[in-house]
Amino acid sequence: MNKKNNIKQPKNSSYWMYGLIISIFIIFTYLGNSDNFGGTKKINISAFEKYLNASEVSKITIINKTLAEVTLTENALLNEVHKDVSKSNFLGQRNTYGPHYSFEVGDLELFQRRLEDAESKGILFNYEFKTVESKWLDVLIGFLPLIILIGVWIFFMKRMSGGGAGGGSQIFSIGKSKAKLFDEKSDIKTTFKDVAGLEGAKEEVKEIVDFLKNPTKYTKLGGKIPKGALLVGLPGTGKTLLAKAVAGEAKVPFFSLSGSDFVEMFVGVGASRVRDMFEQGKKNAPCIIFVDEIDAVGRHRGAGLGGGNDEREQTLNQLLVEMDGFETNEGVILIAATNRPDVLDPALLRPGRFDRQVVVPNPDIVGREKILKVHMKRVPLAPDVNARTIARGTPGFSGADLANIVNEAALLAARKNKKNVSMIEFEEAKDKVMMGSERRSMVMTEDEKEKTAYHEAGHALVMLNAKGHEPLHKVTIIPRGRALGVTMWLPERDKLAHTYNELNAQLASLFGGRIAEELIYGKDNITTGAGNDIQQATNLAKRMVKEFGFSDKLGPLRYESNQEEVFLGHSVSQQTNISDETARIIDSEVKALVKKGEATAKKIINAKLKDLHIIAKGLLEFETLTATEIKDLLKGKKIVKEDENKGSEANNTEDKKTDNTIKNKPIGSVPLTIKNTS
């Protein structure tokens, strides 16, 4: 690419215009004031006495007891003698208010006696004494309210403009694009090396990078580069990072903005900002325009209460026009990101606008390992840290989730005053992200602890024995998040689909806690702890019947309406109606699946009642058990657990306080909300 990128810099601030207007206003106001016509004419005291005796003086002001200012009467100003002090200024105003003359008083007592003699002769005039510290101070004080008013006006005009592009004249730039320009030479440091775990997505966009570097390579063969690329993926998968890497690799200007930046309270502003955005892009071509969360303005038209005149739709229409108006050699490429491709307007996705949809999925085990290594570069690691092991235990995690684990591990190590981060901190961080934060300060009675232990032991026992269930990972009776206990399982590998047997096994494990409580404490003493389990089981059974076709009576038909459309017009038009008879069959089939899962759980626990007691006893003793430790207990082996809070004085202090001061106190009205984390 031989073409030099002439990036348009923002224009200099034009606030000097405001200053010029204010200055002119002050000058006109000051000079137009009748009290300020260029000063008074100096005279001697003899001339003053002459005017006084002729009854031409209306007022005398003695300033600081040294200077006298004389104001003449209106009749006296008509005399030819006083024409110099009564002439008009450049605004056409006559000096009728004065003062007109000034002179030094001299002896103040003698001057006062002269005034008293004139009064005794019947000459009418007024005189007063005045103290003036600074003339300019008076001027400043006089104009201070005006200056404050103008300053407040400028401030509010700047705020109302929304800080749009265009420098200081922001009141006129509300329709300007709010895209932020990143200079490829200084601002963009991200490359494909910084994007780990997205090999497939990177291959899709490398062609765009190659075109921006060597456009003639494609144009001379008649090829057309994709005009736009849409990055689709779940939140946290790295869509924005990938777009920055494209700009960093191509070494071109990069405009970044959000879809919500087009939305404004004023009608027509969105369309105006779209036009300005593409104009800026053409001036700085070749370049990349990145629009994050484009579903804010790119949703289906005609799907709202505003109809065709909706402001959002006008913005979308302008976006469609601008994208379709690109020439092949312009070198402006639009990259957008969204996690809701289903709500985008079809016209936006057609070839010629967004030619490609690049799927940015959650990383697989290899990708997770690479992502972890990227984030671990900034963290001092202990020799026992194995990124592969952590990646194996985090299926379904996004890049943002993995970054959070590394950060949480670093914080935990800092809390323990360690110099590096070990595998223990990474395991604790993983549990914290998956199961929630520990709430060791929560008070539970021994009876509640025992019920919680049997509840979680029931979940674990069914998971270990239900055919087709994913492997058990960890069980704890330490309150985490909103749950009083958690039983967690992890798949051995990344799961892409589930079988009928696997889903039935999940249903059974969800009822393991409730069945364990019933068998140990009786039906009348079942707690509310299974509330979340029942909710999960019901939702899973409904999906099996209505979406997955796992019902012989209903067959492989979808009975679930589309719940993804959240805006009114479109969701109303896609409602799926079913008959009352079909609804009764659905309810019957859902109930049958749930009852089958409950029966399976009861059968397993009745057959393994001795194992249930062993697991529950182990949980009461150690509070947290891994799958390996549970298997060892069932085999009759003794397990030894190290103090996980060693090195953390804060935790040790809090635990001692709990044991010594609040042990065996009732938990109060907190409901038992134990859940099985899936």
Side-chain angles (χ1 to χ4, degrees):
M1 184 175 61
N2 298 324
K3 184 178 178 180
K4 186 177 179 180
N5 299 322
N6 297 319
I7 301 176
K8 302 292 182 180
Q9 300 295 331
K11 296 181 179 179
N12 294 328
S13 175
S14 58
Y15 278 109
W16 62 268
M17 297 179 61
Y18 295 125
L20 181 62
I21 294 172
I22 294 171
S23 301
I24 295 174
F25 183 79
I26 291 176
I27 292 173
F28 271 75
T29 303
Y30 182 73
L31 295 180
N33 193 320
S34 58
D35 292 334
N36 301 282
F37 280 78
T40 57
K41 185 178 180 180
K42 296 289 185 179
I43 60 174
N44 53 36
I45 194 168
S46 300
F48 163 72
E49 291 181 349
K50 178 181 177 182
Y51 302 150
L52 181 64
N53 293 328
S55 298
E56 294 179 341
V57 177
S58 65
K59 182 180 179 182
I60 304 168
T61 304
I62 304 170
I63 302 174
N64 296 337
K65 300 180 180 180
T66 58
L67 182 68
E69 292 183 343
V70 180
T71 301
L72 302 178
T73 62
E74 292 184 7
N75 293 330
L77 292 173
L78 300 176
N79 295 336
E80 186 72 15
V81 158
H82 305 299
K83 64 179 182 180
D84 292 338
V85 296
S86 63
K87 62 183 181 180
S88 302
N89 65 1
F90 69 96
L91 295 178
Q93 299 173 313
R94 292 182 68 250
N95 186 6
T96 58
Y97 296 97
H100 303 102
Y101 296 105
S102 63
F103 61 92
E104 296 292 334
V105 173
D107 190 346
L108 182 61
E109 294 183 0
L110 180 60
F111 182 69
Q112 284 184 290
R113 285 199 295 271
R114 289 177 177 176
L115 295 180
E116 292 173 357
D117 292 341
E119 287 181 333
S120 63
K121 295 178 182 180
I123 301 174
L124 301 176
F125 63 91
N126 297 319
Y127 74 94
E128 64 178 0
F129 290 88
K130 187 176 181 181
T131 301
V132 178
E133 295 180 359
S134 176
K135 185 177 180 179
W136 289 107
L137 183 61
D138 289 343
V139 174
L140 181 61
I141 294 174
F143 286 106
L144 187 60
L146 178 63
I147 295 172
I148 294 175
L149 181 63
I150 294 174
V152 171
W153 176 77
I154 293 174
F155 174 77
F156 279 105
M157 290 298 100
K158 181 181 177 181
R159 298 288 292 184
M160 291 177 63
S161 68
S169 55
Q170 294 179 6
I171 187 62
F172 305 106
S173 64
I174 194 170
K176 299 292 184 179
S177 171
K178 300 175 73 174
K180 185 178 181 182
L181 175 61
F182 294 90
D183 188 357
E184 76 279 7
K185 296 180 180 179
S186 58
D187 297 330
I188 303 176
K189 305 296 183 181
T190 307
T191 63
F192 284 147
K193 293 181 180 179
D194 302 314
V195 183
L198 301 175
E199 303 303 326
K202 285 193 289 186
E203 291 295 329
E204 289 283 338
V205 298
K206 279 183 178 179
E207 191 173 301
I208 297 176
V209 175
D210 192 32
F211 171 78
L212 291 172
K213 289 183 176 180
N214 306 292
T216 57
K217 174 182 176 182
Y218 296 88
T219 55
K220 69 180 182 180
L221 296 175
K224 296 182 179 179
I225 195 67
K227 298 176 182 179
L230 181 65
L231 305 180
V232 180
L234 297 173
T237 52
K239 299 184 293 294
T240 305
L241 182 65
L242 184 61
K244 289 183 179 180
V246 171
E249 289 285 341
K251 299 296 181 182
V252 297
F254 182 76
F255 291 89
S256 177
L257 75 163
S258 173
S260 60
D261 290 335
F262 297 110
V263 183
E264 193 61 72
M265 64 180 292
F266 304 108
V267 178
V269 170
S272 177
R273 288 179 177 176
V274 170
R275 288 191 295 269
D276 186 71
M277 178 184 70
F278 282 97
E279 287 177 2
Q280 290 185 45
K282 293 174 183 178
K283 291 178 182 178
N284 296 284
C287 70
I288 292 174
I289 298 176
F290 176 64
V291 183
D292 201 5
E293 306 295 343
I294 196 172
D295 51 277
V297 294
R299 295 189 173 216
H300 286 281
R301 287 170 290 181
L305 298 177
N309 293 320
D310 184 33
E311 170 66 11
R312 178 187 56 78
E313 293 194 4
Q314 298 301 322
T315 305
L316 175 59
N317 290 336
Q318 186 63 45
L319 181 63
L320 296 175
V321 171
E322 293 291 342
M323 291 184 66
D324 206 27
F326 279 165
E327 297 292 336
T328 306
N329 58 357
E330 281 188 346
V332 181
I333 294 179
L334 182 66
I335 298 178
T338 181
N339 50 27
R340 296 293 306 277
D342 53 297
V343 305
L344 296 179
D345 194 277
L348 195 63
L349 303 176
R350 74 159 177 82
R353 292 194 176 107
F354 283 120
D355 301 271
R356 291 186 178 180
Q357 292 191 30
V358 181
V359 179
V360 186
N362 282 330
D364 55 12
I365 184 172
V366 178
R368 293 195 297 272
E369 184 180 1
K370 292 180 179 179
I371 294 172
L372 285 169
K373 288 181 178 180
V374 169
H375 294 293
M376 286 178 176
K377 290 180 180 179
R378 301 184 292 269
V379 179
L381 301 176
D384 64 337
V385 175
N386 190 330
R388 181 76 175 185
T389 303
I390 302 172
R392 189 182 299 113
T394 52
F397 274 48
S398 66
D401 295 329
L402 297 172
N404 189 32
I405 286 180
V406 176
N407 184 64
E408 287 289 345
L411 295 178
L412 288 170
R415 193 180 303 167
K416 298 178 181 179
N417 298 319
K418 290 188 173 182
K419 295 182 179 180
N420 50 33
V421 186
S422 66
M423 200 67 181
I424 295 176
E425 282 74 47
F426 278 104
E427 287 294 329
E428 291 179 3
K430 187 177 68 172
D431 292 344
K432 185 177 180 180
V433 173
M434 287 181 170
M435 300 186 293
S437 302
E438 289 186 355
R439 295 187 295 161
R440 290 186 175 271
S441 59
M442 189 172 185
V443 188
M444 296 177 63
T445 64
E446 293 299 324
D447 180 62
E448 286 167 333
K449 283 185 179 180
E450 185 180 276
K451 286 185 177 180
T452 304
Y454 274 103
H455 186 106
E456 300 304 325
H459 285 307
L461 188 61
V462 177
M463 288 183 187
L464 289 172
N465 294 276
K467 186 179 179 181
H469 201 286
E470 299 291 350
L472 176 66
H473 175 64
K474 186 173 292 186
V475 187
T476 180
I477 60 171
I478 300 174
R480 285 183 174 271
R482 293 179 295 175
L484 297 185
V486 178
T487 303
M488 187 175 69
W489 53 266
L490 280 178
E492 294 179 336
R493 56 180 180 82
D494 295 325
K495 272 292 186 180
L496 302 178
H498 297 275
T499 65
Y500 178 74
N501 288 332
E502 291 173 347
L503 296 180
N504 276 324
Q506 287 188 31
L507 286 175
S509 67
L510 287 168
F511 285 100
R514 179 181 174 90
I515 297 300
E517 290 184 23
E518 181 181 345
L519 293 177
I520 301 299
Y521 300 103
K523 201 168 184 178
D524 295 336
N525 293 313
I526 298 176
T527 67
T528 58
N532 184 262
D533 300 327
I534 294 173
Q535 180 183 354
Q536 291 188 51
T538 304
N539 293 335
L540 178 58
K542 284 183 178 180
R543 295 192 67 188
M544 291 174 66
V545 173
K546 301 171 70 174
E547 297 182 43
F548 305 147
F550 290 151
S551 172
D552 295 334
K553 292 183 179 179
L554 295 170
L557 294 177
R558 181 180 175 92
Y559 296 93
E560 185 68 50
S561 61
N562 191 355
Q563 300 295 329
E564 296 178 346
E565 309 289 349
V566 296
F567 48 101
L568 184 58
H570 208 74
S571 62
V572 171
S573 65
Q574 291 195 351
Q575 287 291 331
T576 302
N577 297 319
I578 58 176
S579 65
D580 294 339
E581 180 63 26
T582 302
R584 282 193 292 269
I585 296 174
I586 291 174
D587 292 340
S588 174
E589 291 292 281
V590 170
K591 185 177 180 179
L593 286 173
V594 170
K595 296 297 287 184
K596 181 180 179 183
E598 185 183 19
T600 303
K602 184 175 290 187
K603 181 180 178 181
I604 292 174
I605 295 177
N606 276 320
K608 303 281 186 178
L609 194 59
K610 182 180 178 182
D611 293 347
L612 179 70
H613 291 293
I614 294 174
I615 298 173
K617 184 179 179 182
L619 287 172
L620 288 171
E621 183 178 356
F622 299 105
E623 293 185 329
T624 301
L625 295 173
T626 64
T628 304
E629 292 170 342
I630 291 176
K631 291 177 182 179
D632 289 341
L633 284 175
L634 296 178
K635 292 177 182 179
K637 298 180 180 179
K638 291 185 178 180
I639 60 173
V640 179
K641 296 178 71 73
E642 297 181 358
D643 186 8
E644 296 180 356
N645 295 320
K646 188 177 181 181
S648 178
E649 296 181 1
N651 287 346
N652 290 335
T653 303
E654 188 174 357
D655 291 343
K656 292 178 182 178
K657 181 181 178 182
T658 302
D659 292 338
N660 295 332
T661 61
I662 55 180
K663 188 177 180 180
N664 294 329
K665 288 188 178 181
I667 196 170
S669 60
V670 180
L672 195 64
T673 55
I674 304 171
K675 65 179 181 179
N676 175 35
T677 305
S678 59

